[in-house]
Amino acid sequence: MSDNSTNTPAAPKKRRWYHNLADAYRVTKRSYPAVGWIILGSTLAAIALFILLGYLLNTHWIVTTLLCISLVLLVPMLILAALVKKAMYKQIDGTAGAVYAVISQIKRGWTVEEEPIAMNRERDMIWRLIGRPGVVLLVEGSKPRVAKLVEQEKAQVGRVVSNVPVHVIYVGHDKGQVPLAKVEKHLRKLPKTLRSNEVPLAANRLQTIANARRKNQMPQGIDPKRVKVSRRALRGR
């Protein structure tokens, strides 16, 4: 009887919270090389403060010790949480598909399409998401070069959902563009005009049309699924 165990692929190791913490540290260190010293200094300062407070308030040493141990875990997590997203955006800024790394982090209130709805041979891309402000077209590329493509997409949206506002956001560092790191904040400032139940209806209608058009619209030789920023690469693997 053959041993089937040799043909069974090994199950992937379960990721623990400290694996994510290590990945966050690696990503952050690329943009902020001093992050290790920042974490160490902040942790020691917080511990010293709690020891002083414990002494002044006459807190039992066991309680103070437990609080200090908690700080050793909490302070690095707070610092990395504040810096890792900024570091990630800084590293991918200017690369093709970087906008998706931002909009894919949006958890609530938006329907985010996983592929660009339009792309030209210069790898300028238009990404679309739908939320209560309406339809938002996020544009990667030079304004003059992609202007015609944007107008075509705005007209397409107008034909499919004529009563839904369309917002165009150019992502970049030129005049009239929004930096990658500020895209999410810019989206939150858009006025809300749709009711919550209207968002999925508009998204479904647009998705149906997009699926029918995508194969014919994308330039030959470009696979839209390959333009996304690899999170694995960001982790340094």
Side-chain angles (χ1 to χ4, degrees):
M1 181 180 295
S2 61
D3 186 3
N4 293 329
S5 62
T6 58
N7 298 325
T8 304
K13 292 183 179 180
K14 184 177 180 180
R15 289 187 63 81
R16 307 288 184 179
W17 65 269
Y18 48 83
H19 293 144
N20 295 330
L21 192 65
D23 288 342
Y25 178 80
R26 279 193 289 268
V27 171
T28 305
K29 189 173 176 61
R30 294 177 199 163
S31 295
Y32 304 100
V35 66
W37 292 108
I38 294 172
I39 290 174
L40 179 61
S42 300
T43 303
L44 292 177
I47 290 174
L49 177 62
F50 269 71
I51 291 175
L52 178 61
L53 288 175
Y55 174 76
L56 294 175
L57 299 175
N58 198 26
T59 305
H60 196 283
W61 69 270
I62 294 179
V63 175
T64 302
T65 301
L66 291 175
L67 288 173
C68 290
I69 292 173
S70 299
L71 288 174
V72 171
L73 299 175
L74 183 61
V75 172
M77 293 177 66
L78 292 176
I79 293 175
L80 289 176
L83 293 179
V84 65
K85 186 178 288 189
K86 293 181 181 179
M88 183 183 75
Y89 292 164
K90 187 176 181 180
Q91 290 162 31
I92 64 176
D93 196 358
T95 61
V99 166
Y100 182 77
V102 177
I103 61 179
S104 64
Q105 303 297 315
I106 301 175
K107 303 300 182 184
R108 297 179 57 185
W110 293 90
T111 297
V112 178
E113 299 195 28
E114 296 184 354
E115 298 176 10
I117 60 169
M119 181 192 301
N120 59 23
R121 293 190 179 277
E122 288 74 23
R123 297 182 72 81
D124 300 322
M125 304 175 201
I126 301 178
W127 301 83
R128 184 170 62 202
L129 61 163
I130 303 98
R132 291 194 60 195
V135 176
V136 179
L137 303 179
L138 289 162
V139 185
E140 292 185 54
S142 168
K143 266 189 174 185
R145 194 170 57 215
V146 80
K148 184 176 179 180
L149 202 58
V150 171
E151 290 304 316
Q152 291 174 350
E153 292 306 318
K154 287 177 64 177
Q156 178 67 29
V157 171
R159 287 192 291 268
V160 178
V161 285
S162 57
N163 58 337
V164 176
V166 181
H167 307 273
V168 179
I169 300 175
Y170 290 88
V171 182
H173 297 280
D174 294 334
K175 185 178 180 180
Q177 294 183 322
V178 177
L180 186 69
K182 296 183 178 180
V183 166
E184 192 172 351
K185 181 179 179 181
H186 193 85
L187 290 172
R188 289 197 297 267
K189 291 182 177 180
L190 295 176
K192 297 177 175 61
T193 57
L194 300 181
R195 293 191 295 270
S196 297
N197 63 332
E198 293 176 326
V199 174
L201 295 176
N204 289 338
R205 294 183 65 181
L206 287 168
Q207 186 62 56
T208 300
I209 300 299
N211 290 339
R213 296 173 59 222
R214 184 167 280 118
K215 290 183 178 179
N216 295 327
Q217 186 186 49
M218 291 298 172
Q220 295 295 321
I222 296 180
D223 183 355
K225 293 183 179 180
R226 294 181 180 274
V227 300
K228 300 176 188 176
V229 176
S230 170
R231 295 185 185 179
R232 187 182 183 90
L234 285 173
R235 292 199 297 263
R237 298 183 176 184

